[in-house]
Amino acid sequence: MSDQPQTPRTLRSPDWAQARQAAFDAAAALPPHWLPLGETAGETLAEDLRAERPVPHYTSSAMDGWAVNGPGPWRINRGEYEQIDQRVAWARTEEPQLKPPRSLAVGEAAPIVTGGLVPFSTSAVLRSEWGLEDGDSLRLSPEAPEGAPEEGKNLRRAGREAETGELLIRAGTRLTPGHVAFAATTGLDMLPLLRRPRVTLLLTGDEVDEDGVPEPGRVRDAFGPQLPQFVHLLGGQVDAVHRVGDDREQMLERLTGSAVGAESVLDSRAQLIITTGGTGRSTADHLRPSLEDSGAHLLIDELGLRPGHPALLARMPEDGPFVLGLPGNPLAAMTTLMLLGAPLLAGLGGNVIPPLTTVRLTRELPASKTDRLAPGLAFVAGAAVSGTTITDLSEGADAQGTELPSAVALSRAGSDQLRGFSQANVLLLIPADGVRPGEPVQALPLPWL
């Protein structure tokens, strides 16, 4: 038997579910990496984070005042000045520092500030407004309540937030600034994170203007200003963006990479190349013949739905980068990126496949020739909600038998239109048979709102 891995078969015009799963299954997770805390917000934790020591790791004061041992009145122990080696004393420019006491005898008190290390044997901290100093003695002020200070009062005990070995943050958590701040308080400087797949964008078209209002017959670039951010929301990291003319040789050169130069070094890190336009089969479309010339293998050849029918997913030779070919029409490109790009990036990044949700349509949608992906607006109690909330509510409805979130398909949603998509929070998966009012349908939550 041959040890050579088998080339996966090409899926031709699969339905949305097959295409989505195939894109996810094609990817192998990249190894995690470690980043400094300042670069971790918004990233995904790769391993369970457990306390390496008690949090906090020492007992401190919760107030300005005096650490005391036992009931008052107290003798004030102000500590000792640090010992100076007389052989080098002549070279010192600063005054000796007063070091607070490490422990307190019964009946002693020591001045302390909020967050200060509490001396051993401290029974409580007396807040500053409840004490009166008289030389080296301390007594309660008239304002102090009877019995002050209570045993253990105003002490922040070591381990009060977490004990050694306790689970702090679970693997798979998308880190917030709160998570990062907490990790810092535990003494960590770096965290293990799922690696964002590196992405190169190839934006095609001789007729595309990057700014202003295009002349009739030309079009404004709708991809360059937002695709890097869209890819980031889906878990990828765009390293390079290249403009490619409607030319087969240019496309082939960009797909295969130059032999030298800074751009080739940067592009060589890419696990995914995303192209826009040129996915059809006319003489003006150059992606497919360029992939064939490069020896790439087609994983998905067109989709059995609209918009996005001419899309493709390929793999460059020798386990090279994936190539996701988005159609040139803007809505078709966006729906394809959600259907194929999102699961592919999730697989490469070591995440689970993005969850689907279920919504109930409020209006009828007629039958059509194929399944459709339609921009939709999902809402609860009349208010639009985020994709994550929609998923949570949908799962809760399944478990508890409550009402599903409602949704409507938005107008102005042709393959070349973006107005409907700009208002959407889900992509509705509409079967070719259409949908009657009140029927449930599956939906892809969009990663914003």
Side-chain angles (χ1 to χ4, degrees):
M1 295 180 62
S2 174
D3 292 333
Q4 292 294 325
Q6 291 187 344
T7 301
R9 67 185 181 92
T10 300
L11 289 179
R12 303 191 186 280
S13 298
D15 63 29
W16 66 264
Q18 293 172 323
R20 186 170 177 267
Q21 190 64 50
F24 180 75
D25 292 342
L30 300 169
H33 62 161
W34 291 74
L35 287 181
L37 284 184
E39 301 176 23
T40 59
E43 303 301 314
T44 302
L45 192 65
E47 304 170 6
D48 285 346
L49 180 61
R50 294 186 178 274
E52 298 179 358
R53 58 190 61 83
V55 182
H57 63 283
Y58 65 93
T59 299
S60 64
S61 173
M63 292 283 176
D64 291 348
W66 297 267
V68 300
N69 184 359
W74 302 272
R75 299 180 305 279
I76 298 178
N77 182 346
R78 301 187 187 278
E80 297 179 347
Y81 283 98
E82 61 180 327
Q83 297 297 315
I84 305 299
D85 187 339
Q86 296 303 311
R87 293 173 297 178
V88 296
W90 62 271
R92 289 177 59 95
T93 58
E94 68 274 8
E95 293 295 325
Q97 299 295 308
L98 182 64
K99 301 179 69 174
R102 295 184 178 182
S103 64
L104 295 177
V106 175
E108 282 192 332
I112 197 167
V113 296
T114 302
L117 174 64
V118 169
F120 183 72
S121 299
T122 295
S123 60
V125 170
L126 177 68
R127 57 196 307 165
S128 57
E129 59 267 34
W130 290 352
L132 291 175
E133 286 192 9
D134 184 6
D136 288 334
S137 65
L138 171 70
R139 69 179 188 276
L140 292 176
S141 70
E143 293 80 15
E146 185 177 353
E150 298 176 20
E151 180 79 19
K153 193 69 173 177
N154 300 324
L155 295 178
R156 294 172 176 168
R157 298 289 186 185
R160 64 195 294 262
E161 285 202 76
E163 296 292 346
T164 301
E166 188 174 338
L167 177 63
L168 305 179
I169 309 174
R170 292 191 181 278
T173 299
R174 182 64 62 87
L175 297 175
T176 67
H179 291 130
V180 177
F182 183 43
T185 65
T186 71
L188 294 174
D189 299 313
M190 303 184 77
L191 291 176
L193 305 173
L194 296 183
R195 190 182 297 269
R196 284 183 177 269
R198 302 294 180 176
V199 180
T200 291
L201 300 181
L202 302 183
L203 309 181
T204 71
D206 291 333
E207 76 286 5
V208 177
D209 289 341
E210 296 183 48
D211 51 49
V213 179
E215 294 291 332
R218 298 184 62 79
V219 296
R220 175 65 189 269
D221 173 28
F223 298 131
Q226 53 81 22
L227 266 187
Q229 290 79 14
F230 199 164
V231 168
H232 192 273
L233 289 172
L234 295 178
Q237 177 64 49
V238 173
D239 276 342
V241 180
H242 302 299
R243 300 282 173 178
V244 182
D246 292 326
D247 180 88
R248 182 168 173 173
E249 290 186 4
Q250 284 189 40
M251 176 59 74
L252 180 61
E253 181 180 357
R254 280 302 182 190
L255 286 174
T256 56
S258 305
V260 295
E263 287 185 346
S264 67
V265 171
L266 185 63
D267 291 355
S268 68
R269 301 167 59 194
Q271 285 87 35
L272 172 62
I273 299 171
I274 297 177
T275 70
T276 60
T279 58
R281 301 180 185 275
S282 75
T283 56
D285 296 316
H286 303 296
L287 179 58
R288 291 176 182 274
S290 297
L291 289 171
E292 184 177 351
D293 290 347
S294 69
H297 172 67
L298 275 178
L299 300 171
I300 297 175
D301 185 8
E302 299 185 339
L303 297 173
L305 75 164
R306 295 184 186 278
H309 171 69
L312 62 84
L313 178 64
R315 185 80 185 266
M316 296 298 284
E318 300 179 358
D319 293 329
F322 291 91
V323 179
L324 175 58
L326 305 180
N329 280 321
L331 180 60
M334 299 298 95
T335 57
T336 300
L337 184 58
M338 281 298 301
L339 188 66
L340 299 182
L344 180 64
L345 287 168
L348 288 169
N351 288 295
V352 299
I353 190 168
L356 294 170
T357 190
T358 303
V359 295
R360 195 176 302 279
L361 292 188
T362 60
R363 302 172 190 168
E364 180 177 3
L365 291 177
S368 58
K369 293 182 180 179
T370 65
D371 293 347
R372 287 173 289 160
L373 279 174
L377 186 65
F379 52 91
V380 176
V385 289
S386 70
T388 301
T389 302
I390 296 165
T391 302
D392 291 343
L393 291 172
S394 173
E395 292 175 349
D398 289 342
Q400 303 171 22
T402 56
E403 282 295 316
L404 292 168
S406 300
V408 294
L410 296 168
S411 60
R412 297 180 177 87
S415 63
D416 61 331
Q417 296 178 305
L418 285 174
R419 184 170 178 178
F421 185 74
S422 72
Q423 301 167 0
N425 57 8
V426 293
L427 288 177
L428 303 170
L429 299 160
I430 308 301
D433 294 338
V435 181
R436 293 190 298 273
E439 282 191 332
V441 297
Q442 290 186 292
L444 291 170
L446 294 170
W448 50 72
L449 287 185

